[in-house]
Structures are given as C-alpha cells and as structure tokens.
C-alpha cells in the first residue's frame, strides 16, 4: 500500500474553506485530535518513507514529541523488543483473554504489558530467559523474522524459492528467516548476507511488517463492504451540510474515520464551524457520481480508488455567493478495526494537472 498522491483535506470541507478562507487564527483552538502527531519531520526522503508514512497514518506507529512540539519517528534508531511486539499486536489487531507468560521484567501498568501478554499467550513471542522478556533490549533482524512468521503463519502462504544467506547459522530463527525470504518479507543486507544478529532499525521493522501485511489473504473483505464505507460517509456528509446539521459531521467522522483522516477531519470541521459562526450557509450538490474501485485489499487493509466524481459547493456569506467545484478523484486507505468494521484512515486526492 504505497501512497503516491499528496495529502489533502476532505473534498467537501476543502471546497467550502477555499470559497471563504478564515481570517481568524483561532480555527485550531478546539482541535480534539492532535493532527501534528501524523506529520513527523524525519521521514521525508527516507528510503522507507511509504511504509513509515502509512504506519503513522494508520495509528500503527507513533512518533516522539520533543520539547518544541515537533514529532520524530527516528527511523534509523534501533527498536526494542517491547516496541516491536507492541506494533505487531497493533497492526494485526491481536487480542487474547489468556494470561500469557509471567515475566519478572514486565510489570502490569507498563505501556508494554498488554501487547507482551497478548503475544506471549498466543505463542508468538518468548522471553530472553525462562523468567525475563528483555523489553528494552534491541530486537535483532533474525528475531523479527521469527516473530513475523509465527504471527502470520495462518494468514500468509510461505511458498517460493528460499534465499541462501551465508551468515545465517543453524539456530532457532534460521527456518523463519528462510520462510520469510520465500515471500519477500525479508531481503538480504547484501546479495548473500542477512545480518541476523544486527539490531533492527525502526524503519526495517516497519518495512518487514508492511510486506507481511500486504500478503495476508485468508479473510479478504468483499469489495462492496469497502466501497459502502466511502459511499455512506460521502452521502451522510452531504446530507448534514444541506440540512445545516454541522454538529453531525464530527459524529460521522468518528463513525467512518480513524487515524490521520479523523485528525484532519477534526481540524477541517473546526475551521468550518468558524465560518458558520460568521453567518455562512452552504449547499452541496453532486454533479457527477464518483466510481469506487477496490485496487488492493488484504485481510486488514485496503486501497479504494475514486474516479469521475465532481462535487459543487455553494457558499453564501455577507451577501456574497461563491460556487466551488471540486474533483473527487483520489485514493481512500481503509483499515479493519477491532470490532471488524472498516474505517478510512487516509484520503489522498489525485493531483490535478
């Protein structure tokens, strides 16, 4: 799932804001979701940008906030065992009501307690000894291969030609490294070496996980399930605008959106309400219906393309009237939620020539 288009706002709200941009600087004051958390400074031009950006947008990877409020993913920093297990559990939506292994260095109340409990109860992760987990120890490249193969064993078909790595000894992770190489989840550090005992970076961990997620095909959603989410979200937003029920927009966003899409929607809704307070009224009209086509889907993620749709927004304010037409062409990225519903976590508008 590679995002090859630029970020943009929700079509309808963007058209309104283009018609009458805000003069006030208070539009973001009531923002309930921190949009800035989805805009890390240090992944642009990174070799793993697509995967890192996708994980950030989908709430699978979280950044670090410095004293100035800037967010950094630190893609070249090593990732700990606790961090990787947490991302793995989050990405797969894993749950378990079993106790799991009791580790002396994993206490209840710690941020990593639940994901480690879940992963250990499902047999995905073991400790560094019989009684310890080593949550702060850097996870090795070979360890990641083993964890991924265990976690995806029922949802990915590990078939194909194995790669031959000269530096992978006969040890517990070797079979997993070979399996993961069959389907391209892991690549070599060079043409003949894997570096199984090297500390994995955050970027490497995310890329390997993304490759595995892209291969899941045991429980694919129906195309209609995915397109209905987008169609319903668009239709309900249009109705709320025409009914002047702007307070319903945030409620519907929480029903249909998550991740970056939800955070951006919150910002756009705040800006919209500022214009409404100034006396603006709106009318939304679909001039051309969008065609929704599922381009890619796995058990937990999907990409849906929208083409041909044109939205017209008529905005009236202080005796002036502006018509704004906006193409609805773009790509919607969706993820499966813990309750098995699907939500939009990213909308990327196609850049107009």
């Amino acid at each position: 799932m590679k995002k090859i288009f630029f970020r943009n706002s929700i079509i309808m709200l963007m058209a309104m804001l283009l018609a009458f941009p805000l003069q006030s600087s208070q539009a973001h004051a009531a923002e309930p979701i921190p949009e800035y958390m989805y805009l890390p400074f240090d992944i642009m031009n990174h070799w793993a940008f697509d995967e890192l950006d996708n994980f950030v947008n989908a709430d699978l990877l979280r950044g670090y906030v410095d004293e100035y409020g800037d967010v950094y993913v630190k893609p070249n920093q090593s990732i700990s065992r606790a961090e990787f297990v947490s991302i793995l559990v989050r990405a797969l939506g894993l749950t378990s009501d079993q106790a799991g292994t009791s580790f002396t260095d994993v206490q209840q109340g710690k941020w990593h307690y639940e994901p480690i409990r879940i992963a250990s109860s499902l047999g995905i992760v073991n400790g560094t000894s019989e009684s310890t987990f080593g949550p702060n120890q850097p996870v090795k490249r070979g360890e990641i291969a083993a964890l991924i193969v265990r976690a995806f064993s029922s949802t990915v078909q590990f078939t194909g030609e194995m790669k031959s790595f000269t530096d992978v000894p006969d040890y517990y992770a070797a079979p997993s490294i070979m399996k993961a190489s069959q389907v391209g989840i892991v690549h070599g550090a060079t043409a003949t070496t894997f570096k199984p005992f090297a500390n994995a970076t955050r970027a490497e961990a995310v890329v390997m996980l993304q490759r595995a997620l892209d291969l899941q095909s045991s429980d694919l959603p129906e195309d209609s399930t995915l397109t209905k989410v987008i169609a319903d979200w668009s239709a309900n937003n249009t109705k709320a605008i025409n009914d002047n029920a702007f307070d319903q927009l945030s409620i519907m966003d929480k029903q249909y959106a998550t991740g970056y899409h939800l955070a951006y929607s919150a910002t756009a809704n705040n800006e919209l309400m500022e214009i409404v307070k100034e006396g603006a009224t709106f009318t939304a009209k679909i001039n051309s219906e969008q065609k929704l086509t599922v381009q890619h889907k796995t058990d937990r993620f999907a990409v849906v393309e929208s083409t041909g749709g044109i939205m017209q927004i008529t905005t009236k304010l202080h005796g002036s009237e502006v018509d704004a037409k906006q193409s609805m062409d773009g790509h919607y990225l969706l993820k499966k939620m813990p309750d098995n519903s699907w939500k939009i976590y990213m909308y990327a508008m196609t850049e107009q020539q």
Side-chain angles (χ1 to χ4, degrees):
M1 276 183 285
K2 292 189 176 180
K3 179 159 62 65
I4 57 177
F5 302 90
F6 64 89
R7 297 179 189 269
N8 216 313
S9 67
I10 308 165
I11 296 171
M12 291 176 285
L13 298 183
M14 184 191 68
M16 298 175 194
L17 298 174
L18 284 176
F20 289 98
L22 281 173
Q23 301 302 314
S24 170
S25 62
Q26 300 177 350
H28 297 274
E31 182 181 334
I33 302 171
E35 181 191 350
Y36 67 88
M37 289 298 296
Y38 298 91
L39 304 171
F41 281 79
D42 57 347
I43 64 174
M44 294 299 295
N45 301 317
H46 194 278
W47 65 270
F49 170 81
D50 290 316
E51 293 85 355
L52 291 166
D53 192 47
N54 187 56
F55 265 51
V56 170
N57 290 335
D59 281 339
L60 304 181
L61 179 67
R62 287 151 192 180
Y64 303 90
V65 182
D66 68 11
E67 65 270 26
Y68 304 106
D70 296 329
V71 179
Y72 298 88
V73 166
K74 300 183 181 181
N76 300 322
Q77 179 175 292
S78 61
I79 183 170
S80 71
R81 284 168 51 83
E83 286 175 323
F84 181 75
V85 170
S86 296
I87 295 172
L88 175 65
V89 168
R90 196 179 303 136
L92 285 172
L94 298 177
T95 60
S96 172
D97 57 3
Q98 301 301 310
T101 305
S102 178
F103 297 112
T104 58
D105 55 355
V106 179
Q107 289 83 32
Q108 290 192 37
K110 293 290 187 179
W111 63 268
H112 52 250
Y113 175 81
E114 271 300 293
I116 292 173
R117 177 193 66 78
I118 292 170
S120 65
S121 72
L122 296 174
I124 294 172
V125 66
N126 299 316
T128 53
S129 72
E130 289 186 1
S131 60
T132 61
F133 181 77
N136 298 319
Q137 292 183 19
V139 68
K140 310 299 182 183
R141 285 168 53 84
E143 287 181 280
I144 286 183
L147 291 171
I148 286 178
V149 168
R150 290 177 198 149
F152 289 84
S153 60
S154 63
T155 59
V156 170
Q157 297 295 319
F158 290 94
T159 60
E161 184 178 352
M162 293 184 182
K163 288 192 174 184
S164 178
F165 298 118
T166 59
D167 62 342
V168 177
D170 183 14
Y171 82 123
Y172 85 94
S176 294
I177 294 170
M178 296 302 103
K179 274 190 172 185
S181 74
Q182 285 181 283
V183 291
I185 291 174
V186 302
H187 297 167
T190 69
T192 58
T193 62
F194 180 72
K195 295 186 178 179
F197 302 110
N199 294 342
T201 66
R202 286 164 65 83
E204 288 175 326
V206 165
V207 168
M208 285 188 267
L209 265 177
Q210 182 71 77
R211 291 171 183 161
L213 289 166
D214 285 344
L215 293 171
Q216 285 190 303
S217 58
S218 63
D219 187 24
L220 296 177
E222 296 290 335
D223 285 5
S224 58
T225 299
L226 302 171
T227 57
K228 188 177 186 300
V229 174
I230 300 166
D232 287 352
W233 175 78
S234 298
N236 288 331
N237 270 272
T238 302
K239 184 177 186 302
I241 292 165
N242 288 328
D243 291 345
N244 289 317
F246 300 110
D247 59 327
Q248 294 298 306
L249 293 175
S250 295
I251 296 173
M252 286 186 295
D253 285 334
K254 291 177 182 178
Q255 180 180 350
Y256 294 106
T258 189
Y260 177 73
H261 193 57
L262 181 59
Y264 201 109
S265 296
T267 299
N269 287 340
N270 288 339
E271 293 178 344
L272 173 62
M273 293 308 297
E274 291 295 321
I275 301 178
V276 170
K277 289 177 183 178
E278 294 179 15
T281 60
F282 305 99
T283 303
K285 178 183 178 183
I286 301 294
N287 289 346
S288 177
E289 292 288 345
Q290 62 180 333
K291 178 183 178 183
L292 298 172
T293 305
V294 177
Q295 283 197 327
H296 177 70
K297 62 181 178 180
T298 66
D299 291 359
R300 302 196 59 79
F301 296 89
V303 179
V304 179
E305 182 182 31
S306 172
T307 57
I310 298 177
M311 167 76 67
Q312 178 175 318
I313 298 290
T314 301
T315 308
K316 296 179 181 180
L317 179 62
H318 304 324
S320 297
E321 180 175 318
V322 173
D323 284 331
K325 291 183 180 180
Q326 177 64 50
S327 168
M328 300 170 72
D329 290 359
H331 285 70
Y332 292 89
L333 278 62
L334 298 89
K335 63 179 283 190
K336 191 174 185 179
M337 304 301 291
D339 63 357
N340 294 322
S341 67
W342 286 80
K343 290 188 178 182
I344 305 163
Y345 69 88
M346 180 65 195
Y347 168 70
M349 178 179 285
T350 303
E351 186 172 3
Q352 302 298 308
Q353 300 298 324

